[in-house]
Amino acid sequence: PKTTSASFSAAAMFAFAATQFRKVDHVAAQNYAITLRNAAINAYNWAVANPGVVFYNSGILAAGEQEIDAYETGMRRLCAAIFLYELTGDINYKNHVETQYTQSHLKQWNFVYPFENPTQLTLLYYAHLHGVTPSVATDLKNTYKNSIENASDNLPAHVNQLDAYRSYLSTGNHVWGSNRVKTNMGNLFAAYQDFGLNPVNNQIIDGITQDYLGYMHGRNPVGLCFLTNMEHAGASKSINSVYHAWFTDGSSLWDDARTSTFGPAPGFV
């Protein structure tokens, strides 16, 4: 069933997509942008009007619990308000963002880290939108900039060469699915550069983001390209099979890239 958190998530995605389709000089794209805009507004309004609707799938689905807590629901609303403000210019969305952004961990902790990229990067995105209160924009930019430059897990870890593979991730952040965390670290640095927070560091950031790519493509402890079925693209050693029902074990078509007709789809991390 529809839930509060899922509706805020949908509102954010629909609003951002509407902004992109609106840029396309084609009638169908323009019409689709309007459809997305209306869907985003409706989803946001429904979630605001129904703030406590949840669905817990534990014991029902085998994929783990997907419902989020109150903090994360608030962050989904914050992101949705940001993209809706950009899309519509409605001051009510702006007011929500500027009264609530200090509740984010980015501001509560003054810390940028690889587990809240959607919220952190959306707030940084907001700081560069037209009409944002200058003091809020400056606060967000400086908070992000200072954490990247000064937090021990971020730029100092690379300056001090703390990782043999030049793609530092703290011990505590090596969790299940840590390749996602690893790439999110690279994205943190890429955003710092893309938003021009300190161009003096562009050269070193270029090197850092390339090093994270290098790790994913084979410069790692096992010398393995962490993408599936990439030998055709030049990887001498890549992931050959995927533990997933889509690529069934024993399938003559989709199992191991070395023995089945096709192997798993290429490029999955």
Side-chain angles (χ1 to χ4, degrees), residues 42-97:
N42 288 339
Y44 185 91
N45 289 343
W46 184 91
V48 170
N50 297 272
V53 181
V54 297
F55 175 74
Y56 295 97
N57 62 30
S58 296
I60 301 173
L61 301 177
E65 183 54 63
Q66 302 303 313
E67 186 58 75
I68 57 180
D69 60 18
Y71 167 78
E72 185 58 36
T73 299
M75 294 302 102
R76 302 285 175 92
R77 179 178 180 179
L78 193 66
C79 292
I82 287 171
F83 294 129
L84 278 164
Y85 169 66
E86 178 187 28
L87 177 64
T88 68
D90 188 326
I91 199 70
N92 291 312
Y93 298 122
K94 174 187 172 182
N95 289 342
H96 177 77
V97 175

Side-chain angles (χ1 to χ4, degrees), residues 26-186:
H26 190 281
V27 173
Q30 296 292 315
N31 289 337
Y32 189 46
I34 294 171
T35 299
L36 289 168
R37 178 185 184 277
N38 293 337
I41 293 171
N42 288 339
Y44 185 91
N45 289 343
W46 184 91
V48 170
N50 297 272
V53 181
V54 297
F55 175 74
Y56 295 97
N57 62 30
S58 296
I60 301 173
L61 301 177
E65 183 54 63
Q66 302 303 313
E67 186 58 75
I68 57 180
D69 60 18
Y71 167 78
E72 185 58 36
T73 299
M75 294 302 102
R76 302 285 175 92
R77 179 178 180 179
L78 193 66
C79 292
I82 287 171
F83 294 129
L84 278 164
Y85 169 66
E86 178 187 28
L87 177 64
T88 68
D90 188 326
I91 199 70
N92 291 312
Y93 298 122
K94 174 187 172 182
N95 289 342
H96 177 77
V97 175
E98 299 196 355
T99 58
Q100 296 298 316
Y101 83 96
T102 56
Q103 301 305 307
S104 67
H105 288 156
L106 173 66
K107 283 302 303 171
Q108 294 282 311
W109 302 342
N110 291 316
F111 183 55
V112 174
Y113 76 132
F115 292 98
E116 291 192 47
N117 280 37
T119 300
Q120 294 168 160
L121 300 185
T122 303
L123 285 168
L124 187 57
Y125 183 79
Y126 177 77
H128 292 79
L129 295 181
H130 176 73
V132 172
T133 301
S135 61
V136 173
T138 299
D139 187 24
L140 286 167
K141 293 174 187 176
N142 286 343
T143 301
Y144 195 102
K145 173 181 178 292
N146 291 337
S147 179
I148 289 291
E149 293 179 353
N150 299 310
S152 60
D153 282 1
N154 297 331
L155 187 57
H158 296 270
V159 173
N160 295 322
Q161 299 182 337
L162 298 186
D163 187 80
Y165 300 93
R166 303 196 310 213
S167 54
Y168 180 80
L169 188 64
S170 67
T171 300
N173 287 343
H174 280 92
V175 296
W176 178 261
S178 61
N179 277 344
R180 178 183 181 181
V181 186
K182 180 79 77 168
T183 54
N184 272 339
M185 281 298 299

